[in-house]
Amino acid sequence: MAKIKRLALLLVRLAAFAATLSATIVMATSHENASFLAISFEAKYSQTPAFKYFMIANAIVSVYGFLVLFLPSESLLWRLVIALDLVFTMLLGSSISAALAIAYVGKKGNTYAGWLPICGQVPNYCDHVKGALIAGFIGVIIYMGLLLHAMHTVLDPLLLKKP
């Protein structure tokens, strides 16, 4: 039974790694050239600090997720993994929040500030960003589930002890 639980946890961590890695790759490859009223411009993720933050946060969590895959199940470092899961879940949550806010402005614009939507001029760029945000959101959900599982695993034996 313990091997089945370990294999299931490994597969979920592998899915989290795949989600964050794919979010990183898709965001890093998002760029498009367009012209509007005889003016050429290029849209790419590195021009927006929120998208850079999202890409860097997902890259950091991808490296962490890859390293945790090789951690032995008997290691005492798993208690540290719980704390790191919390930190990286918060990092992913904040990065996707910032990126979603900018993506919304790019799609809808802001008439009060005078910002025009750009997704009509650069639809491939917006599709890439949308794909990266979907993969990042899946990664956040998986890491939240991993965090809840880890907290249950560590705290449950402590709560069941009777004085």
Side-chain angles (χ1 to χ4, degrees):
M1 186 69 163
K3 286 189 177 192
I4 294 173
K5 285 183 181 181
R6 173 71 178 147
L7 181 62
L9 183 63
L10 182 68
L11 289 176
V12 172
R13 287 205 174 267
L14 190 62
F17 167 69
T20 55
L21 182 64
S22 63
T24 303
I25 292 170
V26 171
M27 184 59 84
T29 59
S30 63
H31 66 281
E32 184 176 1
N33 294 322
S35 59
F36 182 68
L37 297 174
I39 299 172
S40 291
F41 65 94
E42 182 179 25
K44 54 185 178 179
Y45 85 95
S46 60
Q47 296 168 337
T48 308
F51 288 162
K52 282 197 283 189
Y53 173 52
F54 174 76
M55 201 260 325
I56 291 168
N58 275 285
I60 291 169
V61 175
S62 295
V63 170
Y64 163 75
F66 181 74
L67 294 175
V68 169
L69 288 175
F70 298 105
L71 193 62
S73 60
E74 304 84 26
S75 177
L76 292 175
L77 291 175
W78 279 102
R79 298 213 183 243
L80 177 64
V81 168
I82 295 168
L84 290 175
D85 278 351
L86 175 64
V87 169
F88 289 127
T89 301
M90 292 182 346
L91 179 69
L92 285 176
S94 68
S95 72
I96 196 149
S97 297
L100 280 171
I102 295 301
Y104 182 81
V105 170
K107 182 157 180 71
K108 302 285 185 180
N110 186 335
T111 56
Y112 300 108
W115 298 335
L116 299 174
I118 65 161
C119 285
Q121 286 76 34
V122 285
N124 291 336
Y125 171 73
C126 289
D127 289 343
H128 260 82
V129 169
K130 182 173 36 172
L133 291 174
I134 290 170
F137 194 69
I138 291 169
V140 168
I141 290 172
I142 293 172
Y143 268 101
M144 283 184 185
L146 283 169
L147 180 62
L148 291 173
H149 175 267
M151 288 172 49
H152 172 72
T153 303
V154 169
L155 295 179
D156 191 40
L158 298 175
L159 295 176
L160 293 177
K161 288 183 182 177
K162 295 184 180 182

